[in-house]
Amino acid sequence: MKLCRYGQPGHEKPGVIDSDGKLRDLSDVVSDLTAETLAQAFAADIDSLPLVEGEHRFGVPVAGIGKIVAIGLNYRDHAIESNLPIPTEPMMFMKALSSLNGPNDEVVLPKNSTHGDWEVELGVVIGKRCKYVSEEDALDYVAGYCTINDVSERHFQAKISGQWTKGKSCDTFGPTGPWLVTRDEIEDVQNLDMWLDVNGKRMQTGNTNTMIFTVAQIISHLSQLFTLEPGDVLFTNDAWIGTGHLWDVNVLRPVFYQKVIVGYTLSISHLPDIGGRGLSAENVDIYEDGLQIPICKLFSKGRCNDELVGLIRQNVRVSEQVIGDLMANVTCTKVGEKLLLEFMQEYQLTDLRPLAQTIVNYTEQAMRTQIGEIPDGVYNNEIQVEAFDTPVTLKSSVRISGDRLQIDYTGSSEQLRYGINVPLCYTRAMSCYAVKCLTIPGIPNNEGSVQPVELIVPPHCILNAQPPAATGARLLVGHFVVPLLFGAFSKAVPDRVQADPGMLNVIHMTGQRKDQRDFSTMFFSSGGLGAMNGLDGQSATVAPANMKTMPAEIWESMTHLTLVERRFRRDSGGAGEFRGGLGQTLTLRNDTGRPVYVALLGSRTEFPARGFSGGRDAALRRFIIDGEVAHPKGRYVLHPGARITVEDSGGGGFGDPHARSHDKIQSDIAAGFISETAVREVYSLSSSAESPAESEPG
């Protein structure tokens, strides 16, 4: 039996091809061809069905498809032709449902496409719930087979993100059909001829007998993974598909409406501990960073995976806090699900895709419009960032051409045997953040806002580190992507950029409180923001991030360390017509009565925040433990009563300091932000204020 769906997009009717090759209507038997109605369609008396005259468009032969799972490089002759090793297990990737297309519908290459490609594939339609099946029984779960043109954009696939899905999931990239041939008509699925013509020219011929993994093997393999159902919650901390290091957990919940997935809610948070050696820039590989958890179910149909929770609990130092934070993320996804469903009900929506696509399209157009206002050209920049023994180099080449923007990081240093490596996902996030800041900050964060931005990041460079690289302290290099790009853009749009920031400072601490309860947590401080044209930089403000300073009382109660002092650091901001923000000076004292293990995660100790357009550089950061200067990325033991002092860096200044107004200088003196010495030597003025200049700002 050959089943099909015919008619205009969105209005297809169920049909069947009879023994004479004529189309007959199935509408009196089933309303549509779905997994639930296939059995009824199979039982229909074909000869009694009404004939459908004339020419008709064919759609995808089955409606209500839940997911498209594809197997890459599964034909032996193709692997040999491509000079690639034979896979040892199926190479799985996903295609977006929006890629589905009628077999004869137009394939539309996306904007900026340069390397469109095609591949004829055998499509296998699963007819019933399939979970943990053997190879012997696998074909019993097949409803039928069809042909699929697996269209790809090879540049998107290999060059932009390094992930296949991006080059495989564009709209219209999955022409399917014209019909579904039921399993009973296929004598041997591993001996089917296939071919593909492009513009009337035969481009592919092949046979399923060259498959590396048979259909039965593939079905059995995939059935060992997971089926998404209401109440499921997925969880991973994979550094390369998450946010760049193991401490950030990603908790995802599929949202169902009328038994169909309409969206997902995602919650991400930073855990206090994930095992290993703890958070440290000195870790040499991902295994020292901690416990790696691949994508798996934390909840299945609403039931918690107690074995997974037990595994996590057994491998972390502060289990109650870690598990509590993890479950808080689960609750966040549940609240998100509730709000999303309430939204759909309020506006009587059954499908969010049209609305989502409208928002994405609007966002992309807005971003392209703003990019188009930047003068065409190539803008290069290079900076040094302190590592351990020798600094690393970050290079960027920004190419603007109309509404297209390409960022090439070729020439940046190779990845290191230290925990400051940056996965591509983090580099992409920082890159897009910088572009948004300089173009249109207020638009939504979605695919549309990043679609016009192409990245070239060579594998194994420090901005595209490959496993098993340690990535725990990826912020120490990754955050510098923003000032790197600001420096490049300053040559194109100087009035939009901000001078360099003083950067975030992190101290990871592990120990015991006075009551012998374990703690593992981080202390954050921050340097000043860089100034920009018309605006002084904010003092002691995190960039590029959205973190807030933890109140001293909460910190002290959690750790039993005392925050002895915290004040603005005078003269730390770079001078300029617009002054850079001040860093801060703070001191922590170990009052736990026990040793506390400290990992410093600091920068700006060798290379200051640069000023722009004549503005001065800011002061450097320093770490002092009991009077001795400490390595900014080292591990130390803070003994009872010992103190650690941080003198944070400031932000760079903007514009000639001699152009700064006299009123602003006097205001800075009165607030204690600058000293009389700075007034004389930098601004070439004498101070009229007295006592405030002689005391540190509070």
Side-chain angles (χ1 to χ4, degrees):
M1 182 178 287
K2 296 179 180 177
L3 298 169
C4 63
R5 298 171 68 245
Y6 67 98
Q8 294 306 306
H11 302 281
E12 293 92 345
K13 295 181 178 181
V16 61
I17 307 299
D18 65 18
S19 57
D20 296 324
K22 296 180 179 180
L23 173 63
R24 293 181 181 264
D25 184 51
L26 266 173
S27 299
D28 291 339
V29 179
V30 294
S31 59
D32 205 347
L33 290 173
T34 66
E36 291 77 17
T37 64
L38 284 176
Q40 294 172 261
F42 294 164
D45 181 4
I46 297 178
D47 293 336
S48 67
L49 300 174
L51 286 168
V52 181
E53 303 293 343
E55 297 291 327
H56 295 276
R57 169 192 173 270
F58 286 103
V60 179
V62 180
I65 294 173
K67 53 179 168 288
I68 308 170
V69 183
I71 307 299
L73 206 65
N74 194 42
Y75 288 84
R76 189 173 302 275
D77 48 354
H78 179 52
I80 295 172
E81 179 187 33
S82 304
N83 196 30
L84 293 171
I86 303 298
T88 57
E89 63 179 71
M91 299 173 60
M92 186 187 81
F93 65 94
M94 309 291 284
K95 288 179 75 89
L97 291 178
S98 56
S99 69
L100 288 171
N101 201 18
N104 301 311
D105 292 348
E106 185 180 13
V107 173
V108 181
L109 296 177
K111 294 179 181 179
N112 306 320
S113 173
T114 57
H115 292 74
D117 202 1
W118 54 84
E119 290 179 280
V120 63
E121 300 286 358
L122 174 69
V124 182
V125 177
I126 302 299
K128 57 184 178 180
R129 191 174 186 277
C130 179
K131 187 67 175 175
Y132 298 124
V133 302
S134 65
E135 289 183 29
E136 292 74 18
D137 297 333
L139 297 185
D140 293 338
Y141 292 81
V142 175
Y145 304 94
C146 58
T147 54
I148 298 176
N149 184 357
D150 178 25
V151 183
S152 309
E153 214 302 332
R154 300 299 189 189
H155 184 74
F156 288 11
Q157 176 183 341
K159 301 296 184 182
I160 294 182
S161 69
Q163 298 179 5
W164 286 11
T165 301
K166 196 163 194 175
K168 298 281 192 175
S169 290
C170 302
D171 295 347
T172 74
F173 271 26
T176 304
W179 38 69
L180 174 74
V181 180
T182 55
R183 188 178 76 243
D184 59 289
E185 291 205 17
I186 303 299
E187 181 176 347
D188 183 3
V189 71
Q190 298 306 148
N191 189 26
L192 297 175
D193 290 325
M194 298 184 297
W195 51 266
L196 180 143
D197 290 354
V198 177
N199 296 328
K201 181 180 180 181
R202 184 62 47 89
M203 302 298 293
Q204 278 186 285
T205 59
N207 190 287
T208 56
N209 60 20
T210 67
M211 281 185 172
I212 298 169
F213 302 99
T214 66
V215 173
Q217 289 172 329
I218 291 170
I219 293 172
S220 177
H221 176 80
L222 296 179
S223 77
Q224 309 305 311
L225 303 178
F226 48 77
T227 300
L228 292 181
E229 300 190 47
D232 290 353
V233 178
L234 305 182
F235 166 67
T236 185
N237 70 339
D238 189 300
W240 281 268
I241 62 175
T243 63
H245 71 178
L246 301 183
W247 287 263
D248 285 349
V249 295
N250 304 260
V251 179
L252 181 135
R253 178 189 299 269
V255 179
F256 287 78
Y257 183 77
Q258 296 180 351
K259 299 182 178 180
V260 176
I261 295 178
V262 293
Y264 300 86
T265 57
L266 174 69
S267 180
I268 302 173
S269 68
H270 191 290
L271 296 181
D273 187 64
I274 199 64
R277 294 184 71 209
L279 183 56
S280 171
E282 289 188 344
N283 293 346
V284 300
D285 55 35
I286 196 73
Y287 310 109
E288 289 193 350
D289 277 352
L291 182 65
Q292 301 178 73
I293 303 171
I295 299 175
C296 55
K297 284 189 179 181
L298 183 60
F299 281 78
S300 180
K301 296 184 180 180
R303 294 178 61 89
C304 183
N305 185 344
D306 292 331
E307 290 184 357
L308 175 59
V309 172
L311 175 67
I312 298 171
R313 187 185 300 274
Q314 192 74 18
N315 283 275
V316 298
R317 296 170 176 85
V318 284
S319 58
E320 293 306 313
Q321 190 176 347
V322 169
I323 301 304
D325 287 352
L326 182 56
M327 294 306 165
N329 279 274
V330 174
T331 301
C332 285
T333 65
K334 184 67 176 178
V335 172
E337 176 189 52
K338 177 177 179 293
L339 294 174
L340 184 60
L341 292 175
E342 288 176 352
F343 171 80
M344 295 182 67
Q345 292 166 2
E346 180 179 355
Y347 292 96
Q348 299 181 344
L349 300 174
T350 59
D351 188 352
L352 291 172
R353 285 176 295 179
L355 174 61
Q357 193 60 55
T358 298
I359 296 172
V360 168
N361 291 344
Y362 161 79
T363 305
E364 181 178 349
Q365 186 55 53
M367 175 61 79
R368 291 190 180 278
T369 298
Q370 292 297 314
I371 292 174
E373 295 182 357
I374 302 174
D376 285 359
V378 179
Y379 308 101
N380 301 317
N381 193 30
E382 176 179 333
I383 63 174
Q384 302 290 303
V385 179
E386 56 262 49
F388 286 84
D389 301 326
T390 58
V392 298
T393 299
L394 302 183
K395 288 186 177 182
S396 67
S397 180
V398 176
R399 182 182 297 274
I400 305 289
S401 178
D403 64 355
R404 300 173 62 182
L405 189 157
Q406 181 191 79
I407 305 173
D408 188 348
Y409 292 104
T410 301
S412 298
S413 295
E414 296 293 305
Q415 66 186 64
L416 302 174
R417 190 169 170 80
Y418 290 109
I420 62 176
N421 298 294
V422 187
L424 182 60
C425 58
Y426 203 75
T427 298
R428 170 164 285 279
M430 289 293 113
S431 302
C432 292
Y433 170 83
V435 172
K436 279 194 69 181
C437 287
L438 297 172
T439 51
I440 182 167
I443 61 172
N445 293 318
N446 59 39
E447 183 183 2
S449 66
V450 304
Q451 187 64 36
V453 182
E454 175 190 354
L455 295 191
I456 300 174
V457 197
H460 301 286
C461 85
I462 198 165
L463 295 177
N464 187 8
Q466 304 297 303
T471 65
R474 83 275 198 255
L475 82 159
L476 295 177
V477 172
H479 278 187
F480 281 87
V481 167
V482 176
L484 172 70
L485 294 181
F486 279 10
F489 278 97
S490 69
K491 301 164 186 175
V493 284
D495 290 341
R496 296 189 192 181
V497 299
Q498 188 178 36
D500 287 355
M503 292 297 187
L504 176 67
N505 171 58
V506 182
I507 305 175
H508 190 267
M509 296 187 172
T510 303
Q512 283 190 331
R513 300 164 15 133
K514 293 177 182 178
D515 56 9
Q516 298 187 0
R517 292 169 56 191
D518 293 332
F519 70 85
S520 180
T521 189
M522 293 185 296
F523 185 90
F524 295 98
S525 65
S526 55
L529 288 185
M532 58 190 307
N533 191 21
L535 190 67
D536 288 346
Q538 294 185 5
S539 298
T541 301
V542 176
N546 61 353
M547 301 180 195
K548 302 290 185 183
T549 300
M550 182 186 297
E553 295 79 7
I554 295 177
W555 165 261
E556 291 175 346
S557 66
M558 287 178 55
T559 65
H560 291 174
L561 280 85
T562 301
L563 182 57
V564 178
E565 66 169 348
R566 173 186 277 153
R567 53 183 168 80
F568 287 140
R569 182 186 176 194
R570 181 189 295 147
D571 292 338
S572 57
E577 181 181 2
F578 303 99
R579 173 186 45 76
L582 274 66
Q584 55 189 314
T585 298
L586 55 94
T587 299
L588 298 168
R589 184 179 66 224
N590 179 10
D591 290 336
T592 67
R594 298 173 178 81
V596 173
Y597 300 92
V598 174
L600 302 179
L601 304 172
S603 59
R604 292 287 189 217
T605 58
E606 297 179 34
F607 303 99
R610 300 168 304 169
F612 281 4
S613 297
R616 301 287 182 86
D617 295 348
L620 292 169
R621 178 177 279 117
R622 262 200 333 165
F623 297 88
I624 303 168
I625 298 179
D626 280 350
E628 299 290 331
V629 177
H631 192 289
K633 297 176 178 62
R635 296 169 65 98
Y636 297 91
V637 178
L638 198 66
H639 296 286
R643 299 186 178 208
I644 179 170
T645 296
V646 182
E647 298 174 350
D648 273 326
S649 51
F654 191 101
D656 185 353
H658 296 98
R660 188 167 179 79
S661 73
H662 186 269
D663 288 346
K664 288 183 177 179
I665 294 173
Q666 293 301 319
S667 178
D668 287 343
I669 296 169
F673 292 167
I674 57 176
S675 65
E676 286 195 42
T677 300
V679 172
R680 290 191 303 269
E681 296 181 356
V682 179
Y683 294 102
S684 302
L685 296 174
S686 59
S687 171
S688 62
E690 296 181 1
S691 57
E694 300 301 324
S695 61
E696 291 289 339

